[in-house]
Amino acid sequence: MKRRYKVTGGILITVVLALGALGVALSHNSVCPTAMERPGNAMSMKAAVFRCYGSPDVIEITDIDKPVPGDHDVLVKIRAAAVNPLDWHYLRGTPYLLRLDAGIGTPDDTSMGVDFAGVVEAVGQSVTKFKPGDEVFGGRSGAFADYVLIPEDRGLALKPANMTYAQAASVPIAAITALQALRDKGEVRSGQKVLINGASGGVGTFAVQIAKAMGADVTGVCSTRNTEMVLGIGADRVIDYKHDNYTQLAEKYDVIIDNVSNHSLLANRRALKDNGILVMVGASDGEWIGPFLGPVMGLILEPFVSQKFRMLLAGMPQDDLQYLAQLMLEGKLVPVIDKTYAFDEIPEAILYSESGRARGKILISVP
């Protein structure tokens, strides 16, 4: 055997072994550390934490240090929080590639929750946008707790006066995801035909209403039990996926927002106009590459077709929260809430979110 073949073979073996070792490391769940008992006092607060990856059974409701605002921080007393698929993906550490950021073996950040609404309790000396007593909503890691600390220029906005804390808490991640999928990735314009696949879920219920506010003609895809609800929030028509497959019908759409990934990229192409855009929001199943399979295929296919395939990784700019707050004030955006759980029922709320049966949003009441 020639030397160059031996070298090439050695390199390939090394790469395979390295990838295998990385795979074992990423998929390994370390044993949960022993919980430390902490007495509750004026400088502590209740919070949901997870100190190891796993099912909702590993969630603990415990006492942790109450945060103290720095010069540019806002301390919010939380009244309501909302559950998102993001919460249980981080809880389980899947897809495993997520752990490159979240922590290998055990999570680096043990806090839970993002969406919240509440009342400003204290602000740093340099804060100018908010003051104690303001009713606010926003997104910040650690929202499943009595308090959350957030810089004043991050994902925080004044709560619309016509919304309850529960309604406002349901908005941040899901509604911003819907907004950015439609506006930034889908480039939706008035008069266009937009299809929302998964129109009855958290992102879907907001996407239907935001698309209508943009002047689009909206078709929602959902199950039989949710058709009236989706029509009630503004959809022009509904396709019941139990009876019809939208990818096999004659209608073509300018934009498809796919929240559930239950059809292949090629199947979705059949339902797009020649210059249509598919925005992939929901991820297909899989503990490894499942969530990235569609976007990778889209990158490969897009140079050869006139249609566009885009994946969304939503951010939470303050301007977008303020825009959504204005839509709520105008009555153009009304959150759909499925169930509300008590604070000590957070594991049950996470399980219900994982089931995929929620109509709209799942809320956590914070006493």
Side-chain angles (χ1 to χ4, degrees):
M1 183 182 292
K2 294 182 178 181
R3 180 175 297 177
R4 66 173 178 270
Y5 293 137
K6 291 182 179 180
V7 172
T8 301
I11 291 173
L12 288 174
I13 292 171
T14 301
V15 170
V16 169
L17 290 175
L19 289 175
L22 177 63
V24 171
L26 289 178
S27 60
H28 173 69
N29 290 341
S30 297
V31 176
C32 267
T34 302
M36 295 179 63
E37 292 293 332
R38 290 182 47 122
N41 55 55
M43 299 304 294
S44 67
M45 67 175 184
K46 291 292 183 184
V49 301
F50 70 114
R51 294 174 300 108
C52 57
Y53 296 117
S55 73
D57 292 337
V58 306
I59 297 173
E60 302 171 23
I61 308 298
T62 187
D63 290 301
I64 65 171
D65 291 334
K66 179 181 175 181
V68 177
D71 287 350
H72 299 279
D73 295 331
V74 178
L75 180 66
V76 180
K77 173 66 181 78
I78 297 176
R79 297 290 183 85
V83 177
N84 293 282
L86 182 72
D87 299 319
W88 51 263
H89 277 298
Y90 271 93
L91 174 66
R92 294 190 180 273
T94 57
Y96 292 135
L97 291 177
L98 181 76
R99 301 186 185 193
L100 290 172
D101 175 64
I104 297 176
T106 57
D108 295 332
D109 182 0
T110 62
S111 64
M112 297 195 69
V114 177
D115 290 350
F116 68 87
V119 180
V120 175
E121 179 169 292
V123 299
Q125 61 181 7
S126 300
V127 172
T128 59
K129 295 181 180 179
F130 303 95
K131 64 183 184 301
D134 282 346
E135 297 181 341
V136 294
F137 74 110
R140 183 68 169 173
S141 178
F144 291 170
D146 288 333
Y147 295 88
V148 69
L149 191 67
I150 180 170
E152 69 164 332
D153 59 350
R154 297 292 178 88
L156 188 67
L158 293 174
K159 179 180 76 66
N162 61 338
M163 292 287 123
T164 66
Y165 290 112
Q167 289 174 313
S170 72
V171 168
I173 284 184
I176 280 184
T177 298
L179 173 63
Q180 293 176 5
L182 291 160
R183 181 194 62 198
D184 303 337
K185 298 297 184 179
E187 302 173 16
V188 171
R189 302 183 301 277
S190 180
Q192 286 189 317
K193 291 184 176 293
V194 175
L195 180 135
I196 312 293
N197 186 23
S200 61
V203 174
T205 51
F206 287 119
V208 168
Q209 296 177 76
I210 294 171
K212 286 303 298 180
M214 292 177 169
D217 180 273
V218 180
T219 297
V221 181
C222 61
S223 65
T224 308
R225 75 185 184 101
N226 294 321
T227 54
E228 289 187 13
M229 181 269 286
V230 173
L231 288 169
I233 59 175
D236 295 285
R237 67 197 58 80
V238 169
I239 295 174
D240 181 350
Y241 70 77
K242 292 183 178 294
H243 297 98
D244 293 298
N245 181 342
Y246 72 85
T247 69
Q248 297 176 353
L249 301 179
E251 191 68 54
K252 306 288 185 182
Y253 301 92
D254 296 288
V255 179
I256 294 176
I257 306 297
D258 189 3
N259 296 311
V260 291
S261 296
N262 57 350
H263 295 288
S264 70
L265 191 72
L266 295 179
N268 272 307
R269 276 199 66 215
R270 293 196 295 267
L272 278 176
K273 292 183 179 180
D274 288 342
N275 293 304
I277 300 175
L278 170 67
V279 183
M280 292 167 276
V281 177
S284 55
D285 292 335
E287 295 180 329
W288 282 101
I289 65 170
F292 309 104
L293 187 58
V296 169
M297 290 185 63
L299 286 173
I300 295 171
L301 183 61
E302 191 169 303
F304 305 100
V305 298
S306 60
Q307 297 151 327
K308 298 177 181 177
F309 313 102
R310 295 172 175 173
M311 180 182 181
L312 176 69
L313 294 174
M316 195 172 292
Q318 204 165 68
D319 289 348
D320 282 357
L321 277 176
Q322 292 166 348
Y323 171 77
L324 295 169
Q326 185 61 37
L327 286 184
M328 288 188 280
L329 274 174
E330 296 171 359
K332 296 178 180 178
L333 190 67
V334 180
V336 176
I337 296 175
D338 186 341
K339 291 185 178 182
T340 300
Y341 290 83
F343 192 74
D344 59 1
E345 295 176 326
I346 288 174
E348 289 87 341
I350 297 288
L351 276 175
Y352 184 55
S353 176
E354 281 190 283
S355 74
R357 299 193 305 269
R359 296 163 41 126
K361 294 293 295 181
I362 303 165
L363 272 294
I364 305 296
S365 176
V366 182

